[in-house]
Each structure stands twice: as structure tokens, then as C-alpha cells.
Amino acid sequence: MGIQERKERERERRRQQIMVAAKRVFTNKGFAKATMEDIAKEAELSPGTLYLYFKNKDELYASLSLRILQYLMIRLEHVNAEPFTDASQRLNALKEAMFDVYEFDPLILINMFHMQSSETLKNLSPDLLNQIESLSRSSLKVMANIFEEGIRKNMFVDRHPTAVADILWSLFSGIILWETSKKIINGEKDFLKETFDTAFEIFSRGIMRH
């Protein structure tokens, strides 16, 4: 292994160390209350070292979102790769894939939704912003492909597949944010899975050809 390759590996190892520490701090303190100093302490590094890898807290947080988007892409591609012979089965696989993404890391997914509708994106480096936008576009394209195939096979109603994918993603994110806010007010109210199942059933009835 050359010196340059060794340096790159060390840099990536340190970057992952910071991100793991950041996840713990964000989980315990919440994004708003967490500071770069808190994260540096958790990672057992100096605050100055953190700024060599991430220019601010927003960028560090957004970097955690990349893992969610990458997992989303993997799950959607898996659904898309299955033979399309039964529309109900395909829609159910899509529902399960989306809920798997939520369960993969609820905290980061919830805050990613908040981030995408806030000023935070303006604080990111062009490279990181490009990665987030590229993964988001690619994931929605794969989802749209699922609907496009169903339309082509005359199993789904003929609507623009990208619009259908946007509607489903909006439904998913809206339910997660709304149910999470209700749970904050009353911890006993945890109906996210049931609400998403109901919403997806209604969505599926609307898109299926009868």
C-alpha cells in the first residue's frame, strides 16, 4: 500500500469516527442543542480536527443522510429488479422497502426530511449538495420506473410515473413527520406503521386498474 493510499484510508477512518460520534450526540441531545464541541469530545478529537473534515454542523448532519439515501436506493433497486407479474405484490414490496428505510435509522430520516425543507441545504458544500441531490433524483427515478412498468403492463392507471413517485414520497414523508410530532406531544401515540399501512392501501386502490 502506497503512502497516498494509506493517507486516504486514515482520512476515511477518521471521517467515519466523527460521523459515529455525531450520530450519538444528535441522538442524545437533538440537532439543535448539539455543538461541534460536543461531537469533538465524543469522538475524542479537538474541535479544530472536526473542521478539517466538515465545515459546519449542517454539513456533518447532511453527511449522515447520505447513508439513508444510499440504503433507499438499494431497497428500491431490489424491488425494481423483481419480475413484475402481480401488481399488488409489487406495491406491497415497495411499501415494505420504504418502511425498512424508516426503520434503518428513524432519527436521521426524520431530520433529513426537515433538512430538505429548510435553509440548511444552503450551508452545504457544492460537492455534498450534489451527492444528496443526485441520490435523491436517482431514488425517485427508480421508484418512477416501478410505476412506469406497471402502467406499461396495464396494471396501473395511466398517470405520469414521476408524478406518482413524487406523490408517494410526499405521502411517506408527511406521515412520518406528522406521526412523529404527535408522539412528541404524547409518547403513547405511536401509530406510524398503522397510519402508513392505511395510507398506502388507499394509494394502492387509487393507482390500480380495476
Side-chain angles (χ1 to χ4, degrees):
M1 186 191 299
I3 294 174
Q4 186 60 35
E5 186 179 351
R6 197 157 44 239
K7 283 183 178 179
E8 286 298 323
R9 283 196 178 186
E10 174 58 27
R11 181 173 176 80
E12 182 57 27
R13 188 192 68 76
R14 182 59 56 82
R15 182 180 169 85
Q16 291 301 319
Q17 177 186 350
I18 294 168
M19 290 174 70
V20 168
K23 173 70 189 308
R24 284 198 293 264
V25 172
F26 290 142
T27 300
N28 293 331
K29 286 197 162 190
F31 177 75
K33 292 183 178 179
T35 66
M36 290 292 269
E37 288 71 22
D38 293 331
I39 296 166
K41 184 178 180 181
E42 182 69 29
E44 298 182 345
L45 298 168
S46 69
T49 300
L50 260 64
Y51 287 105
L52 294 175
Y53 294 84
F54 301 94
K55 72 175 187 176
N56 52 43
K57 186 174 70 168
D58 288 337
E59 183 154 304
L60 177 47
Y61 194 84
S63 295
L64 289 170
S65 300
L66 289 175
R67 291 176 65 245
I68 284 281
L69 291 169
Q70 287 161 351
Y71 184 63
L72 171 65
M73 188 71 179
I74 290 168
R75 291 296 283 110
L76 290 176
E77 285 180 334
H78 178 73
V79 173
N80 198 36
E82 291 294 315
F84 198 144
T85 55
D86 184 286
S88 296
Q89 194 175 53
R90 175 57 61 93
L91 286 171
N92 191 60
L94 179 58
K95 181 188 76 171
E96 293 304 318
M98 293 177 74
F99 201 77
D100 279 353
V101 170
Y102 166 76
E103 291 191 315
F104 178 71
D105 201 328
L107 176 74
I108 298 300
L109 181 66
I110 290 163
N111 282 281
M112 184 185 80
F113 289 145
H114 283 302
M115 179 188 72
Q116 290 181 336
S117 61
S118 70
E119 296 289 305
T120 301
L121 292 177
K122 294 180 180 179
N123 297 328
L124 307 182
S125 66
D127 180 58
L128 180 56
L129 183 59
N130 182 61
Q131 288 184 68
I132 290 172
E133 290 180 341
S134 177
L135 276 169
S136 298
R137 279 196 307 269
S138 297
S139 295
L140 282 170
K141 185 177 180 181
V142 174
M143 195 184 294
N145 287 344
I146 293 169
F147 294 120
E148 185 175 14
E149 187 178 3
I151 293 167
R152 193 169 59 246
K153 291 179 180 290
N154 207 34
M155 294 179 178
F156 296 156
V157 295
D158 189 3
R159 296 293 185 273
H160 198 295
T162 302
V164 177
D166 281 342
I167 289 167
L168 180 56
W169 188 248
S170 300
L171 183 74
F172 180 55
S173 59
I175 287 170
I176 286 175
L177 291 175
W178 176 242
E179 288 297 322
T180 302
S181 68
K182 282 168 41 178
K183 190 178 177 181
I184 290 171
I185 296 169
N186 185 345
E188 294 180 3
K189 290 188 175 181
D190 187 5
F191 305 116
L192 196 153
K193 182 68 165 65
E194 292 88 342
T195 303
F196 183 57
D197 284 346
T198 301
F200 203 93
E201 180 188 349
I202 294 168
F203 170 85
S204 298
R205 287 181 182 180
I207 195 174
M208 295 271 284
R209 280 197 178 276
H210 300 289

